[in-house]
Every structure is written in structure tokens, then in C-alpha cells.
Amino acid sequence: MSNLIRYEVVNRVAVLVIDNPPVNALSPTVRDALDHNIARAVADNAVDAIVLIGAGSTFIAGADIKAFEALKTIDDSMRRSESMHARLRRIEDCPKPVVAAIHGNALGGGNELAMACHYRVASADAKIGQPEVLIGLIPGAAGTQRLPRLIGPELAIRMCTDGKSISAKEALAAGLIDEIASGELRAAAIRFATGRAARSETRRTRELTDRTLDKARAQQAAQDTRAALAKAAKGTRAPYAALEAIEYGLEHTFDEGSIRERELFAECLVSTESKALRHLFFAEREVAKIPDVPKDTATKAIEHAAVVGAGTMGGGIAMTYANAGIPVLLKDVDQNALDHGMAMIRKNYESSVAKGRLSPDALARTLALITPTTSYVGFDRADIVVEAVFENMDLKKTTFAELGRVTRPDCILASNTSTLDIDELAAAAGRPDKVVGHHFFSPAHVMRLLEIVRAKQTSAATIATSLKLSKQLGKVGVVVGNCFGFVANRMLAYYMREAYLLLEEGASAPQIDQALTDFGMPMGPFAMQDVAGIDVGARIRQYLKSIGKTRAEGPQSEVMDRLYELGRYGQKTGAGWYRYEPGNRTPIADALIDELAASEAAKRGVTRRAIADEEIIARVTTALANEGARVLAEGYAIRPGDVDVIYVYGFGFPRYRGGPLFYADTIGLPTVLQRVAEYRTRFGDYWMPAPLLEQLVAEGRGFYEAASAKPP
Ligand code: NAI
């Protein structure tokens, strides 16, 4: 048998140490080894009780997600679940007491295994949860049946539908664990097991009934959760399936409930939702792997930071550093701007305190980490400086030249520019290997994406440090190439182009926004722009116009310019694509937009028409896939997964659709290419198919799928 489980006997207790680094995932071989060792302990006359414990830093942190990929059909899944259910039942039927000793994480299959044990002892820092919904699944090893029997329906429903873990303390209060170990976990678990063995006590979770007798409470909890999910989990299936499995189990026997769970699990496993979420799970881990930046590249410790420019972005970036416990200087040239910036930061923290997300103590501690300044004094201590001054090349070059002088030679100099060429800034700084783009998204302390822009001479160490730092800051760092708009905004430009043109062709702003929120975007393009500021986009367009460029090829809708001229900048001026009542952010449709769109359409000779929601979705998603293919082929993104992670974290593309490229694969690239061709005929040559898209279709592949046999 493999050495994934060590068998040790201490004071007549068999201690089974699960040793499958890094997280003791419950792989098929671990499951076999567990079976074998449990049977051995049952047969062992020198053993009265059994303790299951994880080696290293954790108990079992879940099933092996990669192994799910091998399960292609409902039948594959049903067979796996049946065998899992039977294995756990054998543990539960064990005549000798079985105790799970939990430290680190007991997640998913790990908690399901722990619940099949008779008792659970945990260390104080343990976390326990059923996070399957986060990858579009439900607990598949009777978790939806044992959990409510152990802790009651309310908490079981919450844990299985939101996927969040609970602490050992909460688990103890709920009855999910029986003891928090004082002192060493292993010794405590052995003691606990010995005590139960002395009294010949075992307790089968599946036979517990006292927590599930109150049917009315269970029904209420289910009803409340359904109402909450309608908002929080729009468009997804897995949380509802988890709820259904729990409800079914409460109305039926454990065995009947288990069968229903297996069916629902199988249905989820083969769903596009789960495939998309599992794809993102791996893509998010993959982004940190850069082919020519070896894993062991030395990184620089970031202990002191500085931010230049205390505007919208600079303030948010300073907060991001402070939130991670890193002291940060915040510099502005203008005392008023600095005061305003600090006031905004304080207001943001105070609103977190008001919402109960931050304690007043933590507010004081975090705020104290941000030091406002109008000079470069102290910049010699900084390990990194992030520049967030106005989007103006001359100003940024001057700033980088100054930073090159006032910081230590090993200090990393990052720019938060949205569009400017990082190579020019690198040259101005005089240490190009340490210059990089750190493109945060607004609001910077909230949005999780960080585009790490690699310029020609950015060193591997600077990239490796940026990736490590992004984790420290709680961000998802994705390395991209240095092109106009980088990856996120470059793709967004095509998404927006189609939204503007659809508006001119006859769709209304509310219709387009609604179609896209129904599709799963958190906000439609026009509502989003009213938040971001119409002036910001308009200025970039003006700049581009002055140098003879456009953000995306094709007709440039001028409706936005008209709004800019009218001083309608969005929410901040009380009107933009919508109108807003004072103090209220609810968008109100405005007939003026339709008039402006109609007059722009007339100028271009476009006949306005009724447009179906399907066309809106098809147009914007096709534009994203086509441009995504270009970004990939040109090497500005390393992998299709990077593009998907960027659009999901940068703009809230629905996770359960996997990102714009994964979504294109689910539509089928031949269909996507066909649409591009159709649009080219209808609208003009600016709809050119990306060469990579054509190539993949010719090869019978998707962005992700391996090449299949060539079509005849
Ligand atoms: P902002 O106008 O709110 O802030 C710029 C700040 O820089 C102002 O407080 C100004 O006083 C200060 N400043 C100007 N010259 C300075 C100097 N020489 N030294 C120190 N401070 C100086 O602009 P925002 O929106 O924060 O943008 C900053 C940068 O971030 C720009 O490059 C922008 O393209 C980029 N960006 C903006 C995003 C957004 O959604 N607003 C998103 C991502 C990047």
C-alpha cells in the first residue's frame, strides 16, 4: 500500500496520519489507503480507538479537484459518489470510536470525512467548511445529509450555499466539533479517543435526529435562503442544488437523501457552470507562473511603500498597502488635493466601521500607516513607489525622473497609468529593470485585479516581486504586455464600442444595461460609465484623436462627446447616460440619450431598428472574443486563462461563464467566427476576424480545447 497514510499506535489508539502534501487532498489513492488502514485498525487487537490526523499544516483541505476532470458523464459521477458514500459509511459503522483531529482546514470532502467519524477534536485555529459551490458543485459525499443532522438546518444551509468556512469556535458552538484541543492536537485527540473507547462509545452522525425535528424552522431557513440567493447568486445553479439536497434529506431518510444528493451532485458536475468555475480556479493559480521567470527567482521584501498622487486612484492604492499592514507615504503636489485625498480615505474607512466590517481600533491602526506629505522626504526608505498622478506623459516622465533621484537604486518604480507607454517611463527613471506598470482598478482598495505590466527591460526579479506583492495586497496579479490599454482596457474598448453602436442602431441604454446584467455582469456598460466618469473616457478619446488614433477600430460614436460637452459626467454631476436624483444612485432613463443617439445615427446614415437582447449579448461577447484572440496571438497575455481572469476580476464578467474566452468556447468558436463574418458583411471591414480565431476554427479547436481531428 502507498505511504500516503502512516499507521502508528499510541496507547492502544491507532493514529492514521494522512500525508499527501501540500494540502492532503482526498485523492482516489488517499481514499483507498484510508479504507485499508481503517480495516487494519479494526482488525488490530492492540487497538481500541482510531484517530485520523493530517500531516503538515492541515487536515484534508478538500477533494482533488483535478480528479473531477476525469468524470465526464452523470454515470461516472454517480459511481464515484456511490463509492464515496459507502466508504464513509464503513468508517461510521466502525465498532471502535473514530476521532478526526482537525488543524488548518477541513474543507469539502475533508469535512465530509470528519463528519463520518464519530467525533471531532480541532485546534483553535482550524477552519471548517463546504466550499463546493465556489466551483459549481455541492457536497458529494453526504455532506448535505450529515451536516444538518449534526448542526441543524440553518447553519448547514448557510455553509453549503455560501461556501464560507467557519472557525473552530463557531464549529464548537454549533456542535460540528466536540472539543477544541487545549495544547497539542494529536495528544488531545488520542486522549479523547481513549475516553470514548473506555466507555465503548461511538456516535453515528447519520442517526442523529434531535437537530432536525423542527420542520418549520428548516422550511423558514430554506425560504430565506432562496430569497437571498435570488440576489446574491443570480444565474447560478449549484447553491440551489445544495439547498434542494438538504431539504430533501430533511423530509426523507438519510439513505434517500444521499441518493438525491448524488443525483444533484452529478448534474452539477457536468454543468457548464461547474466547468467554468473549475477552469477559473486553476487559471487563477496559473497566472503566477511566468515561463521565463523561474519559481525560485529572488524577490524583494516590500516593507515600506510610497504613492505619488493622492487622487481617486492614489488614495485607494495607499489604502490597499495600509490594509496589508505596509506603511505608506502618500504624496501630492497640492496641499488641498492631499487634504481631500486623506479625507476620502478616512471617509471610506469610517463607512467600513459603520457597516461593522472594521473595528474603530483597526481604523486608527490602519490610518496611522498612511503618512500624507507634499515632499519627497522619506522616499529613500521606500522599497516601492506607485505613481498615480494625472494621465499625462510629460508629467509622468518628470515624476519618474524625480523618483529615480530620490529613491534608493533598488527601489521598484511602478506606474498606475491606464494607457501610457511604460518603456518611456522606464527610460526617464534611469533604472528600467525596476520599472513596471501596476495597473489597479477603481476603486483600488476594492477591485481585486492588478495588471502587472512588463516593459522591455523589466527584470524577472521585479516581475516576481510584483506577483508576490499582489498576493500580499490581496490582489490577483496578472502579468501583461505593454500595449495601449494593456489587456483589460484594450478589451473593454471593444465591448464599449459595440454598446455605443447598438445604442445608435436603436437599442436604449437601459435595454443594453439590462441585457448585460441579465447575462450576469454586475452593471451594464452605461451605468458603469456613469460611475467611472464620462469625462475620464472623453479626455482619453480627445487625446487619441489629437494623435490620430482610436481605442478600437470602426465608427466612433460621438454620443459620449455630446454628454461631455453638456457637462454630464455621470453620477458625480447628477447626470450622464442616466439622470440621478440628489443623494440617490438609482439611474433614471433620460429621453435625451435617445435623441442624441438618433441624431448621431442620422449623421452616419444608420437606420434605427428594434434590437433583440440576444443580438446585444452576441455583439459584445463576439467583440471580446475576437479582440481576446488578438491579445493572445500578439503575446500581450500569456494564456487564455489570463485573459479570462483579467476580465472576471477587472470588470465582473460572470464567473459561472468562465470569462470571455471560456464563454466563447462554450458557444463554439465556429459560431463566433460565423458571427464575425456576418457582422463584417452587415457593418463593415472593421469587423475583421482575428487570425488566431480563424486558425483555431480551422484546426477544430477552442481557446482551451486540445486539437481534435481536423474537420473533413
Ligand atoms: P486624479 O485626478 O483623481 O488624481 C491625480 C492626483 O495626482 C491629483 O490629486 C493631483 O493633485 C496629483 N498630482 C498631479 N501632479 C502631481 C505631482 N507632480 N506629484 C504628486 N501628485 C501630483 O486621477 P486618478 O483617477 O486617480 O488617476 C491617476 C492615474 O491612475 C492616471 O494615470 C490614470 O490613468 C490611472 N488610472 C485611473 C483609473 C480610474 O478609474 N480613475 C483606473 C486605473 C488607472
Side-chain angles (χ1 to χ4, degrees):
M1 209 66 209
S2 69
N3 53 3
L4 288 169
I5 295 189
R6 292 199 299 275
Y7 186 92
E8 300 161 6
V9 179
V10 185
N11 298 339
R12 299 192 59 79
V13 174
V15 180
L16 311 190
V17 184
I18 304 154
D19 193 1
N20 183 28
V23 295
N24 294 322
L26 204 52
S27 66
T29 36
V30 171
R31 296 201 293 265
D32 286 343
L34 196 57
D35 257 6
H36 169 81
N37 281 284
I38 294 273
R40 178 175 166 189
V42 170
D44 191 338
N45 287 331
V47 160
D48 298 331
I50 303 165
V51 164
L52 288 187
I53 191 165
S57 60
T58 185
F59 190 66
I60 295 169
D64 179 352
I65 300 175
K66 277 237 154 67
F68 288 137
E69 305 307 316
L71 307 172
K72 301 281 182 218
T73 66
I74 299 251
D75 282 350
D76 290 346
S77 168
M78 292 294 278
R79 268 194 299 278
R80 172 197 181 266
S81 298
E82 256 170 52
S83 113
M84 278 298 289
H85 282 225
R87 283 173 204 266
L88 294 190
R89 205 182 176 99
R90 278 198 293 278
I91 293 176
E92 203 170 39
D93 285 340
C94 189
K96 301 176 181 178
V98 186
V99 178
I102 302 170
H103 70 306
N105 289 313
L107 301 179
N111 186 41
E112 290 175 297
L113 169 63
M115 290 192 294
C117 297
H118 301 130
Y119 305 101
R120 287 146 296 279
V121 174
S123 57
D125 63 353
K127 292 243 177 306
I128 305 178
Q130 298 290 159
E132 289 85 350
V133 280
L134 304 180
I135 51 167
L137 295 175
I138 68 170
T144 63
Q145 305 304 306
R146 286 199 179 88
L147 193 57
R149 285 170 170 78
L150 199 53
I151 63 173
E154 283 106 334
L155 184 57
I157 288 174
R158 196 186 91 198
M159 287 174 70
C160 293
T161 54
D162 75 8
K164 291 190 191 136
S165 323
I166 62 171
S167 67
K169 206 169 142 201
E170 288 170 279
L172 182 68
L176 181 48
I177 61 171
D178 301 284
E179 185 181 299
I180 294 184
S182 51
E184 204 221 345
L185 173 67
R186 181 183 157 116
I190 293 173
R191 254 194 326 273
F192 190 99
T194 308
R196 300 295 144 153
R199 297 195 293 273
S200 301
E201 271 177 12
T202 56
R203 184 185 58 183
R204 296 189 186 117
T205 305
R206 70 170 191 268
E207 290 169 358
L208 301 177
T209 52
D210 53 330
R211 299 278 174 122
T212 51
L213 287 178
D214 189 343
K215 300 282 180 234
R217 270 181 70 181
Q219 276 165 5
Q220 188 61 48
Q223 198 182 327
D224 294 347
T225 304
R226 257 197 195 90
L229 287 177
K231 276 197 200 142
K234 216 176 79 185
T236 63
R237 167 75 180 120
Y240 293 95
L243 180 58
E244 209 177 309
I246 293 175
E247 280 183 295
Y248 194 91
L250 293 172
E251 296 294 328
H252 298 81
T253 64
F254 178 85
D255 288 345
E256 287 163 341
S258 298
I259 293 173
R260 186 72 194 121
E261 181 197 87
R262 293 203 285 268
E263 291 166 356
L264 288 161
F265 177 85
E267 183 199 301
C268 289
L269 187 78
V270 298
S271 69
T272 304
E273 170 181 330
S274 179
K275 286 179 193 154
L277 290 166
R278 281 181 274 148
H279 142 67
L280 281 175
F281 178 88
F282 290 115
E284 277 162 35
R285 280 149 187 82
E286 188 105 5
V287 288
K289 295 183 193 146
I290 311 301
D292 60 342
V293 179
K295 218 175 145 193
D296 55 3
T297 304
T299 56
K300 178 177 169 52
I302 303 294
E303 286 163 3
H304 294 275
V307 175
V308 185
T312 315
M313 294 305 289
I317 296 168
M319 286 175 75
T320 304
Y321 275 91
N323 293 346
I326 302 173
V328 56
L329 290 166
L330 178 58
K331 176 184 187 287
D332 207 292
V333 271
D334 180 17
Q335 185 66 48
N336 282 339
L338 190 60
D339 293 345
H340 178 73
M342 285 306 290
M344 289 307 290
I345 290 173
R346 176 175 282 279
K347 201 171 141 201
N348 274 323
Y349 281 131
E350 278 168 355
S351 112
S352 298
V353 172
K355 287 179 192 146
R357 292 194 197 132
L358 189 75
S359 70
D361 272 4
L363 178 150
R365 262 198 320 275
T366 316
L367 205 53
L369 289 171
I370 306 177
T371 309
T373 175
T374 50
S375 81
Y376 282 124
V377 173
F379 270 58
D380 54 344
R381 288 190 77 192
D383 301 303
I384 185 166
V385 180
V386 186
E387 167 279 312
V389 302
F390 298 131
E391 186 78 342
N392 175 303
M393 186 50 116
D394 289 338
L395 174 64
K396 289 205 193 250
K397 272 188 179 164
T398 311
T399 307
F400 268 78
E402 286 169 6
L403 289 172
R405 286 193 294 274
V406 300
T407 58
R408 291 193 318 269
D410 64 320
C411 175
I412 293 179
L413 302 178
S415 174
N416 183 51
T417 177
S418 320
T419 52
L420 301 175
D421 181 359
I422 308 290
D423 283 321
E424 286 195 44
L425 304 179
R431 67 173 86 118
D433 59 316
K434 307 258 169 12
V435 175
V436 65
H438 278 189
H439 185 216
F440 289 82
F441 289 72
S442 183
H445 59 293
V446 177
M447 298 299 288
R448 295 209 41 218
L449 179 62
L450 176 67
E451 279 187 310
I452 299 169
V453 188
R454 188 175 190 173
K456 281 202 191 77
Q457 297 185 56
T458 312
S459 69
T462 301
I463 293 295
T465 302
S466 299
L467 281 164
K468 194 170 155 211
L469 174 66
S470 60
K471 282 212 186 90
Q472 222 179 321
L473 299 178
K475 304 288 178 198
V476 180
V478 186
V479 176
V480 298
N482 181 24
C483 59
F484 189 85
F486 315 125
V487 173
N489 284 337
R490 177 170 159 177
M491 289 181 64
L492 182 72
Y494 288 79
Y495 173 91
M496 294 305 294
R497 175 190 77 189
E498 289 308 304
Y500 299 140
L501 294 180
L502 283 157
L503 185 81
E504 289 193 6
E505 288 162 37
S508 69
Q511 184 199 356
I512 296 169
D513 280 354
Q514 184 70 48
L516 279 154
T517 48
D518 288 349
F519 177 76
M521 298 297 293
M523 260 187 179
F526 297 105
M528 179 175 84
Q529 209 170 54
D530 271 357
V531 174
I534 287 172
D535 51 329
V536 179
R539 280 198 211 107
I540 294 176
R541 278 157 55 79
Q542 282 174 353
Y543 163 72
L544 285 174
K545 211 170 172 180
S546 74
I547 58 167
K549 284 193 179 164
T550 57
R551 278 205 122 157
E553 55 274 15
Q556 304 296 306
S557 170
E558 290 182 4
V559 181
M560 187 168 73
D561 300 323
R562 299 290 92 77
L563 295 179
Y564 180 62
E565 287 154 16
L566 291 168
R568 293 177 64 127
Y569 295 171
Q571 288 195 7
K572 59 183 161 192
T573 57
W577 292 104
Y578 296 92
R579 283 190 303 108
Y580 299 88
E581 298 293 349
N584 191 333
R585 291 185 185 170
T586 314
I588 304 166
D590 190 337
L592 175 75
I593 303 300
D594 209 44
E595 285 165 28
L596 292 175
S599 108
E600 291 304 315
K603 273 195 221 159
R604 288 203 299 118
V606 171
T607 312
R608 303 192 87 211
R609 63 196 161 92
I611 295 179
D613 290 355
E614 291 73 33
E615 180 175 344
I616 296 173
I617 302 303
R619 292 264 294 273
V620 297
T621 56
T622 304
L624 282 177
N626 199 41
E627 191 56 16
R630 284 187 207 279
V631 163
L632 261 184
E634 291 166 17
Y636 291 109
I638 298 171
R639 294 156 284 242
D642 291 22
V643 174
D644 282 341
V645 168
I646 285 173
Y647 220 84
V648 164
Y649 280 105
F651 303 117
F653 195 93
R655 290 182 66 84
Y656 61 88
R657 297 192 193 272
L661 300 188
F662 188 91
Y663 176 72
D665 272 1
T666 62
I667 299 290
L669 293 195
T671 306
V672 175
L673 183 62
Q674 216 175 350
R675 284 179 183 166
V676 175
E678 179 206 322
Y679 299 154
R680 189 176 174 188
T681 314
R682 277 170 62 193
F683 303 115
D685 274 348
Y686 64 89
W687 269 105
M688 276 294 223
L692 177 64
L693 184 60
E694 290 181 309
Q695 181 195 330
L696 290 173
V697 171
E699 291 170 358
R701 296 204 289 159
F703 285 113
Y704 291 96
E705 296 146 31
S708 59
K710 270 198 171 182

